[in-house]
Amino acid sequence: MGEAPEVQLEIMGQEHTDANSVEQTNYGSSQSSTITRHRSYKWWLQMAIYTIFSLAGQSVATLLGKLYYDKGGNSKWMATFVQPAGFPVLIPIYLLSSAYKTSKEDSTRNIKSPPLLVLAAMYAALGILLAADCLLYSLGLLYLPVSTYSLICASQLAFNALFSFFLNSQKFTPLIINSLVLLTISSTLLVFQNDSSGSTSVSKRKYAIGFVCTVAASAGYGLMLSLTQLCFQKVLKKQTFKIVLDMIIYQSAVATLIILVGLFASGEWKGLDREMKAFELGKVSYVMVLVWTAITWQVFAIGAVGLIFEVSALFSNVISTLGLPIVPVLAVIFFHETMTGIKAIAMVLAIWGFVSYVYQHYLDDRKS
């Protein structure tokens, strides 16, 4: 009987210790959830910035590219050159990001960097693909009304989904398949019209060339996004903004050099002075159109690569596709193009396909 009080005191002490441990656990979990919540706010802010960059950069750059052609520009290589050539404007941002250390950089400091030869091969391959893609897009924009061109570009989401399935282990759901089918139909509808009522009239042959080049460029862009995500996951393996800038700057530098070779080899450089003098808006406007086209494409690149880095190649392409219906509306306002029935139907299908994919992404977020 003398041992009972000791046992009772021991049990009470144990209960007190358990209560403290539970309290500490609850405090730790609440603190963890608070940190997670703060991180999620920061993450959504980053997503909003990247999305705005992607939508604004793509829309403005496309319209400026068409303005160049409409007002007297006719150099395919110059129109191609300005797409990657704006990368030097990112160098100050690159230097600042190198000086500023983040918690992500601290956590990935011990990850071994890939060999220099591997990095050089990776950036060279992506740069070559980027150069070819820019040329195809320039040819498409030259021969097609900008509204038709933008709607055909929606097919890049279907190509990207296909490449993501094989390269990035992307899973297909009924909603994603529905999205891809709608976007494919949206682009296919535009084969059946030759819109000569826009700002420039083109022959059926040139329209066909423009259509094929734009579809091929969309396929190349979809492949490039999937390869970029694969490089982030398998080669670079680090999560810093500096890595995003590395990806943009180095591949753009390679693409710019290749396009410069094409510009001089084709002989088009000889006519640039004459082209500038004949530009309808004047010499200063000629230079400004090219400069701002180059800058806005780099703004788009930051948004697109940033979304790949934070989410996936397919999500980045979905955001790009969201911006495509904006361009036809702006083309009607600024270039006085006609919004035909086929274009309107194609636009509705493109938006429907986009909403279908976004809803699938929303369901995935709720499950996780």
Side-chain angles (χ1 to χ4, degrees):
M1 293 294 293
E3 295 180 355
E6 294 180 6
V7 173
Q8 189 174 0
L9 286 172
E10 196 173 311
I11 293 172
M12 289 174 64
Q14 186 176 358
E15 288 176 353
H16 181 69
T17 303
D18 290 343
N20 284 340
S21 64
V22 170
E23 187 177 348
Q24 288 175 357
T25 302
N26 290 336
Y27 173 76
S29 62
S30 65
Q31 189 177 31
S32 175
S33 65
T34 303
I35 293 171
T36 304
R37 189 160 56 247
H38 285 311
R39 284 178 182 172
S40 68
Y41 292 153
K42 184 180 178 181
W43 186 84
W44 280 110
L45 178 61
Q46 287 179 326
M47 292 303 96
I49 293 172
Y50 286 144
T51 299
I52 292 170
F53 278 12
S54 181
L55 294 177
Q58 176 182 246
S59 300
V60 175
T62 303
L63 292 174
L64 287 175
K66 191 60 179 177
L67 182 67
Y68 166 77
Y69 284 133
D70 277 5
K71 299 304 178 182
N74 53 24
S75 172
K76 299 181 290 293
W77 284 103
M78 177 54 72
T80 305
F81 172 74
V82 294
Q83 294 180 48
F87 72 89
V89 301
L90 302 179
I91 293 177
I93 303 174
Y94 179 82
L95 295 175
L96 287 174
S97 67
S98 299
Y100 178 70
K101 301 295 182 183
T102 64
S103 58
K104 277 189 177 182
E105 288 185 76
D106 293 334
S107 63
T108 58
R109 185 178 296 172
N110 295 327
I111 298 177
K112 187 178 179 181
S113 297
L116 185 60
L117 187 61
V118 173
L119 288 175
M122 179 186 72
Y123 291 131
L126 290 173
I128 292 169
L129 183 57
L130 177 61
D133 214 40
C134 290
L135 179 59
L136 289 170
Y137 272 130
S138 296
L139 290 171
L141 194 57
L142 173 62
Y143 294 133
L144 295 176
V146 67
S147 54
T148 304
Y149 163 86
S150 298
L151 291 171
I152 294 173
C153 285
S155 64
Q156 68 193 30
L157 183 58
F159 287 115
N160 184 216
L162 179 64
F163 291 125
S164 293
F165 177 76
F166 291 106
L167 297 176
N168 311 124
S169 303
Q170 176 70 42
K171 294 181 180 179
F172 282 175
T173 64
L175 283 171
I176 289 180
I177 293 172
N178 177 62
S179 173
L180 301 180
V181 170
L182 290 171
L183 289 167
T184 303
I185 295 174
S186 170
S187 300
T188 306
L189 280 176
L190 298 173
V191 178
F192 301 104
Q193 75 162 22
N194 180 2
D195 189 354
S196 60
S197 59
S199 54
T200 56
S201 297
V202 296
S203 64
K204 289 184 178 180
R205 178 176 171 274
K206 289 184 176 179
Y207 183 92
I209 292 173
F211 181 87
V212 171
C213 286
T214 306
V215 172
S218 298
Y221 182 70
L223 174 61
M224 190 170 172
L225 290 180
S226 295
L227 288 175
T228 301
Q229 182 180 345
L230 188 67
C231 290
F232 276 135
Q233 294 172 341
K234 304 296 184 182
V235 180
L236 299 173
K237 299 178 182 178
K238 291 185 179 180
Q239 296 185 348
T240 65
F241 184 64
K242 180 179 175 293
I243 295 296
V244 174
L245 292 178
D246 280 340
M247 180 66 73
I248 297 171
I249 290 173
Y250 292 135
Q251 71 180 21
S252 295
V254 172
T256 301
L257 289 174
I258 293 171
I259 295 166
L260 269 178
V261 172
L263 177 63
F264 284 97
S266 67
E268 286 189 2
W269 65 275
K270 298 176 183 177
L272 293 180
D273 183 61
R274 183 172 62 254
E275 179 180 284
M276 183 170 64
K277 292 177 180 177
F279 197 67
E280 293 180 21
L281 301 178
K283 294 181 181 179
V284 175
S285 295
Y286 176 85
V287 174
M288 294 304 294
V289 166
L290 293 178
V291 167
W292 282 106
T293 302
I295 292 174
T296 49
W297 275 124
Q298 293 307 307
V299 171
F300 166 73
I302 292 176
V305 177
L307 289 172
I308 295 172
F309 178 71
E310 293 289 348
V311 188
S312 70
L314 194 56
F315 183 79
S316 176
N317 214 340
V318 166
I319 296 299
S320 298
T321 306
L322 173 62
L324 295 176
I326 298 173
V327 177
V329 175
L330 296 176
V332 172
I333 298 171
F334 294 109
F335 294 102
H336 308 293
E337 294 184 359
T338 303
M339 181 57 70
T340 63
I342 291 180
K343 283 185 184 178
I345 294 171
M347 184 186 297
V348 170
L349 290 176
I351 295 173
W352 185 3
F354 165 77
V355 171
S356 180
Y357 179 85
V358 170
Y359 184 64
Q360 177 62 58
H361 193 70
Y362 166 74
L363 293 179
D364 291 341
D365 279 349
R366 289 195 64 182
K367 287 180 181 179
S368 60

